[in-house]
Amino acid sequence: MGKIGKTAALTAATKPLLTAKAAAKAGKAPAWSLTVARTLGSEDAVEVLTRQHRQIKLGFLRAALPGPLRRRNFDQLMRLLAIHEAAEEAHIHPVARRALQ
């Protein structure tokens, strides 16, 4: 398995975020968020984000452990953080902005 450069990793990690921001500006939900909504079923946004917060905390602990799995754990954490931030940008932040106005 080869390594990818910093630019490629950054692009891959931030693509969901950029897509969500562009969709938010256009005034529509990104297509991937509809797929996620169908997959989650009865879970609401708060439950999903709370679960992801727990996964992120655990991911930081795993990524800090020495050993052969450290890089894999770090990569998983990076992907989870990118997905989580994109979801908050697309769904939570607009609602919070409207509520504060």
Side-chain angles (χ1 to χ4, degrees):
M1 196 160 144
K3 291 185 177 183
I4 60 174
K6 285 184 181 179
T7 304
L10 182 60
T11 302
T14 58
K15 187 171 183 176
L17 178 62
L18 297 174
T19 305
K21 284 184 177 180
K25 284 183 181 179
K28 60 181 180 178
W32 57 265
S33 69
L34 299 175
T35 304
V36 170
R38 283 187 217 107
T39 304
L40 294 174
S42 65
E43 272 189 311
D44 67 4
V46 175
E47 290 171 344
V48 172
L49 293 174
T50 302
R51 181 173 36 83
Q52 284 182 349
H53 284 159
R54 286 192 305 269
Q55 290 174 337
I56 289 168
K57 287 178 185 178
L58 184 60
F60 274 111
L61 293 173
R62 286 181 178 157
L65 294 174
L69 299 178
R70 186 174 189 171
R71 181 63 191 190
R72 184 185 67 130
N73 291 335
F74 177 79
D75 290 340
Q76 287 176 345
L77 174 62
M78 185 175 68
R79 281 190 298 274
L80 179 58
L81 285 168
I83 291 166
H84 180 76
E85 178 61 24
E88 282 189 348
E89 277 288 325
H91 301 286
I92 304 301
H93 293 185
V95 173
R97 281 188 204 102
R98 283 193 299 267
L100 291 174
Q101 289 180 348

